[in-house]
Amino acid sequence: MTNVIGFPGLGLEFHINRIAFTVFGFDIYWYALILLSGFLLGLLFVGLTCKKYGVSVDNIWDIAFWGLIFGLLGARIYYVAFDPGCLDGNWLNFFKLWEGGIAIYGAVIGAVLSTFVYCHLHKLPVLKVFDVCTPGLLIGQCVGRWGNFVNAEVYGGVTTLPWRMTINGGMGVHPLFLYESLWNLLGFILIVLFRDKKKADGQIFFSYCLWYGVGRLFLEGMRQEEYILYLIPNKLGISQLVALLAIISSAIILVYLSKKDKKTENN
C-alpha cells in the first residue's frame, strides 16, 4: 500500500501509505479524506459568501447534502457505465467506493442535477444558485486532485522536465494531478475576481464549464492509457468528448446570455 513518489528535479521524495489509519478493522484511505476535505472547504467558502448574493446558508447546506449524495452516486455510475468490468460480475461491488472507480465528471453532473431539482422544488433562481456554488466546485476539484497524488495515479507520459514525477523509481512522467489542481486554482481566482462584474445569472457557472472543459480536453490527451475511459477504444476518450461538448455548449450559452443582457439594456 506504500508508494515512493519523487520529484527528482526538485529534490523531493515522499513515502506514502494509501491508508491513513484504521478504525475497528476498517481502513480509512487518504484519498477519501482528501476528497472530503475538498468538499468541506468548498462548502465553507460558499457558506461564508452566499448571503452577499441572495442565497441563504440553510439552502446551501441542503444543496451540499444532496449534492454530496448524488455526486458520489453520479461519480460511480459514470465510471461503471464505461468500465463495467470493474464490478467483476458482481453488481454489489458497485457500492465499494473505497476501492476506487469514480469519475469527477459524474460527480459534477450528479451534483448539478440534484441542485437543479432542489432549486425547482424550493422555487429558487437556478442560475443564480449555480453561480454562487461554482467557486465551491473549483475548490473541491483543486483539493480533490491531490487524492490522485497519494494513490500514485492519473499521470501523463514520460518527460524530463524539472517538475517530473517518478513512482516507485520509474521514469519521470507528467504530474497531471498537479496540472489540473493548478488549473482549477487559477479558475477559482479568476471567478472570484470577476464574478461581481457579471451581467447575467449563469455567466459564472458556464464560464466554469468552459474553463474546466478546456483544461480537461488538453490534459486528457496527456493521460496514460490505463486511466482513460474510452468511448471508441484507443481513439476517443469519453472525458474528451464530454469536455468538447462542455466547451461548445458553454460558449453558445455565454454568447446567448451576453446578447440577452444587451437586449435588456437597450429596452
Side-chain angles (χ1 to χ4, degrees), residues 138-158:
L138 283 164
I139 291 174
Q141 290 174 277
C142 178
V143 175
R145 270 304 172 198
W146 286 84
N148 298 130
F149 168 68
V150 298
N151 276 0
E153 62 186 6
V154 187
Y155 50 87
V158 175

Side-chain angles (χ1 to χ4, degrees), residues 125-144:
V126 176
L127 292 181
K128 176 185 285 189
V129 172
F130 279 5
D131 284 353
V132 171
C133 294
T134 291
L137 274 176
L138 283 164
I139 291 174
Q141 290 174 277
C142 178
V143 175

Side-chain angles (χ1 to χ4, degrees), residues 120-220:
H120 178 73
L121 293 176
H122 291 81
K123 303 186 185 308
L124 298 176
V126 176
L127 292 181
K128 176 185 285 189
V129 172
F130 279 5
D131 284 353
V132 171
C133 294
T134 291
L137 274 176
L138 283 164
I139 291 174
Q141 290 174 277
C142 178
V143 175
R145 270 304 172 198
W146 286 84
N148 298 130
F149 168 68
V150 298
N151 276 0
E153 62 186 6
V154 187
Y155 50 87
V158 175
T159 181
T160 58
L161 289 170
W163 54 83
R164 65 190 181 277
M165 177 177 69
T166 61
I167 300 174
N168 297 323
M171 299 183 69
V173 294
H174 286 284
L176 294 190
F177 81 92
L178 178 60
Y179 295 171
E180 186 170 334
S181 181
L182 292 175
W183 181 257
N184 290 327
L185 176 60
L186 179 57
F188 168 77
I189 294 172
L190 291 174
I191 278 179
V192 169
L193 288 175
F194 293 105
R195 63 176 174 170
D196 287 342
K197 299 178 181 179
K198 74 173 186 177
K199 301 296 184 180
D201 288 338
Q203 287 181 328
I204 299 301
F205 174 71
F206 288 108
S207 293
Y208 152 76
C209 293
L210 179 62
W211 177 266
Y212 187 64
V214 170
R216 282 302 295 268
L217 182 64
F218 176 73
L219 293 175
E220 281 295 318

Side-chain angles (χ1 to χ4, degrees), residues 75-96:
R76 186 59 168 163
I77 290 174
Y78 186 101
Y79 189 92
V80 170
F82 296 101
D83 186 20
C86 70
L87 299 181
D88 292 327
N90 184 353
W91 68 271
L92 289 176
N93 288 335
F94 175 89
F95 300 101
K96 295 182 178 181

Side-chain angles (χ1 to χ4, degrees), residues 16-21 28-35 147 150-151:
I16 302 176
N17 190 324
R18 292 176 58 193
I19 299 174
F21 53 87
I28 306 298
Y29 288 82
W30 281 114
Y31 183 79
L33 294 176
I34 290 172
L35 292 184
V150 298
N151 276 0

